[in-house]
Amino acid sequence: MKKERVEVVQDILEYPTHTAGAIMRPNVIGLDKDLTAKATLELLQARARVRTGEEIHTIYITNGNRKLIGALPLKTLIAAPADIRIKEIMSPVSVIKIPATMDQEEAAKV
């Protein structure tokens, strides 16, 4: 495992069992809203070649400051016309912040 990856895993392992932090996924894909569906699929394909064990169900859309602004199910992306912009097919999201130490069941309810 690469040093950077080891550090991420070690950070997650420091959270108590059954907390939100212990089950978080630090490798979330965040993409720009102005990308086309075709460009987004190409980026995901490149990532899948490098990270073979990773499952992708939802793509998260971020602004220039890496702030979450939308989400896009992979199925919607696959069915979209190649030239459509992600901002036209994404769903806006509201960000809900929870402490990493919150119980995982409580976090799921939130």
Side-chain angles (χ1 to χ4, degrees), residues 8 12 22 28 35 43 58 61 66-67 74 79 90 92 103-104 106:
V8 170
I12 293 171
V28 174
L35 288 172
L43 285 170
T58 304
I61 315 306
R66 295 192 42 89
K67 180 181 176 187
L74 183 57
M90 72 179 200
D103 179 81
Q104 64 185 3
E106 287 300 314

Side-chain angles (χ1 to χ4, degrees), residues 17-66:
T17 305
H18 305 297
T19 63
I23 61 170
M24 69 180 170
R25 292 187 61 204
N27 294 325
V28 174
I29 300 171
L31 298 173
D32 186 271
K33 65 182 173 50
D34 291 317
L35 288 172
T36 62
K38 179 180 180 181
T40 302
L41 283 170
E42 289 171 354
L43 285 170
L44 294 175
Q45 288 170 339
R47 183 175 175 119
R49 284 190 286 275
V50 175
R51 298 182 182 260
T52 56
E54 187 175 44
E55 289 187 29
I56 301 170
H57 302 281
T58 304
I59 295 95
Y60 297 97
I61 315 306
T62 55
N63 65 13
N65 298 322
R66 295 192 42 89

Side-chain angles (χ1 to χ4, degrees), residues 3 5 8-9 37-38 65 68 81 100-101 103 108:
K3 181 180 177 185
R5 186 83 177 135
V8 170
V9 171
K38 179 180 180 181
N65 298 322
L68 181 66
T101 54
D103 179 81

